[in-house]
Amino acid sequence: MNKLRFYHNHILGIEGLEPQEITSLLNLSDNFVENNRSEHRKLNNLRGKTIVNLFFETSTRTRTSFELAGKNLGADVVNMQVSTSSISKGETLIDTAITLNAMNIDILIVRHPESGAVKLLSEKVNCSVINAGDGTHEHPTQALLDALTIRRRKGHLNGLTVAICGDILHSRVAHSNINLLNIMDANVRLIAPLTLLPTQTHMHGIEIFHDMFTGLVGVDIIMILRVQNERMYGNFIPSIREYFHFFGLDYEKLKLAKSDALIMHPGPINRGFELDSDLADDVEHSVIREQVEMGVAVRMACLSVLIKNFDHNKS
Ligand code: ASP
């Protein structure tokens, strides 16, 4: 097995990671995929460690995935319900950090509606922190699980053409994926209406399209994003019907991509809005369920490396 190269205490984003660090995490995740498919999937690498899931926004997939990842590694996992905790009574983020510090936890997993809030918390707590999504900023474990899904299907990431389609403006998934694909030398195309694109996309080599009919031609991977209604203040989209007509992926538009192109979606899917419902379930093309499986393995890899680094840096 390749040597593990990942020396950070926190995983706050993909930006700033080195290609070898991403490769290391993906290699380790690959081992966990095999482990999770076996009958004896319970490990005890994190026995005696405590993980807290602190979610200030709703989540089904990500929170459950982190919980399973922690439990598969033998850790104790606690889910902090924001609506029933004192956070809803007005406790500040810093007070929350002080409280958590007093509980001597090992890893804190945080989702927060404000971009940057997870980093702020990481500066105040005495444990490792994983960003499970902060505002429209980053969702690093989603990008890693997407990369693992692609790498296992295509054998590599470099040189592939990946179209990221839809609500890029509000999507932390898009931002983390753009960062990761750039670092790993894949070609990125963004396909979105003008209203759903950030005003500046700083990275070199990104191609922008406002039309699926030209943007999807010859691509290897199609990542469809959820339209994030909860982050839209104003009218970004004329109607669901019109959006689906121009930017929703259906069998007709899929024909423009390579014949073996993969369809991905981070979930939850707005069926019939950004993606045709039958196509979402069509395992000939869609790897959406596989993404969910890869999520547990990637999160196990992230938890394992952070515990190792944290224990090492303490000693
Ligand atoms: N689950 C992903 C996120 O939390 C994608 C989404 O919600 O659209 O960002």
Side-chain angles (χ1 to χ4, degrees), residues 111 139 172-173 226 228 266-268:
R111 169 168 289 189
H139 190 353
R172 51 198 177 206
V173 172
R226 181 174 67 87
Q228 312 240 326

Side-chain angles (χ1 to χ4, degrees), residues 55 57-62 111 132-135 138-139 142 170-174 224-228 230-231 265-270 274 299:
F55 278 59
E57 265 186 2
T58 51
S59 159
T60 322
R61 207 170 317 248
T62 307
R111 169 168 289 189
D134 64 324
E138 281 243 29
H139 190 353
Q142 177 71 47
H170 300 104
S171 175
R172 51 198 177 206
V173 172
I224 302 292
L225 302 170
R226 181 174 67 87
V227 177
Q228 312 240 326
E230 77 277 23
R231 295 190 214 283
H265 190 298
I269 307 169
N270 293 315
E274 66 254 356
R299 289 171 178 125

Side-chain angles (χ1 to χ4, degrees), residues 59-176:
S59 159
T60 322
R61 207 170 317 248
T62 307
R63 212 208 57 198
T64 314
S65 181
F66 270 113
E67 185 172 351
L68 277 176
K71 287 182 171 166
N72 283 352
L73 291 166
D76 295 316
V77 184
V78 178
N79 292 315
M80 267 181 82
Q81 293 294 342
V82 172
S83 56
T84 54
S85 77
S86 45
I87 291 151
S88 63
K89 297 177 200 144
E91 191 176 272
T92 67
L93 208 54
I94 307 302
D95 286 333
T96 308
I98 294 166
T99 309
L100 290 166
N101 278 340
M103 293 179 185
N104 293 320
I105 63 175
D106 298 286
I107 301 185
L108 180 64
I109 295 153
V110 190
R111 169 168 289 189
H112 199 283
E114 299 296 330
S115 304
V118 181
K119 181 168 188 296
L120 176 70
L121 203 52
S122 75
E123 288 159 6
K124 310 285 174 195
V125 291
N126 304 327
C127 62
S128 289
V129 175
I130 301 181
N131 181 2
D134 64 324
T136 59
H137 178 227
E138 281 243 29
H139 190 353
T141 56
Q142 177 71 47
L144 288 165
L145 75 87
D146 289 343
L148 183 65
T149 309
I150 298 172
R151 202 181 75 162
R152 288 176 67 92
R153 285 292 193 119
K154 301 284 182 195
H156 59 99
L157 294 162
N158 60 308
L160 293 175
T161 301
V162 181
I164 306 181
C165 314
D167 186 1
I168 293 157
L169 180 66
H170 300 104
S171 175
R172 51 198 177 206
V173 172
H175 296 137
S176 288

Side-chain angles (χ1 to χ4, degrees), residues 185-201:
D185 281 331
N187 308 310
V188 179
R189 293 187 189 175
L190 304 182
I191 312 178
L194 258 177
T195 48
L196 294 178
L197 262 181
T199 40
Q200 15 170 310
T201 32

Side-chain angles (χ1 to χ4, degrees), residues 237-276:
I237 288 167
S239 71
I240 295 182
R241 221 170 128 215
E242 194 169 334
Y243 184 86
F244 186 72
H245 179 70
F246 289 107
F247 293 98
L249 186 67
D250 55 13
Y251 281 96
E252 213 37 51
K253 296 190 193 91
L254 177 64
K255 285 187 197 147
L256 300 161
K258 285 198 179 145
S259 56
D260 60 352
L262 305 177
I263 300 170
M264 308 179 77
H265 190 298
I269 307 169
N270 293 315
R271 288 173 182 264
F273 193 162
E274 66 254 356
L275 179 57
D276 175 83

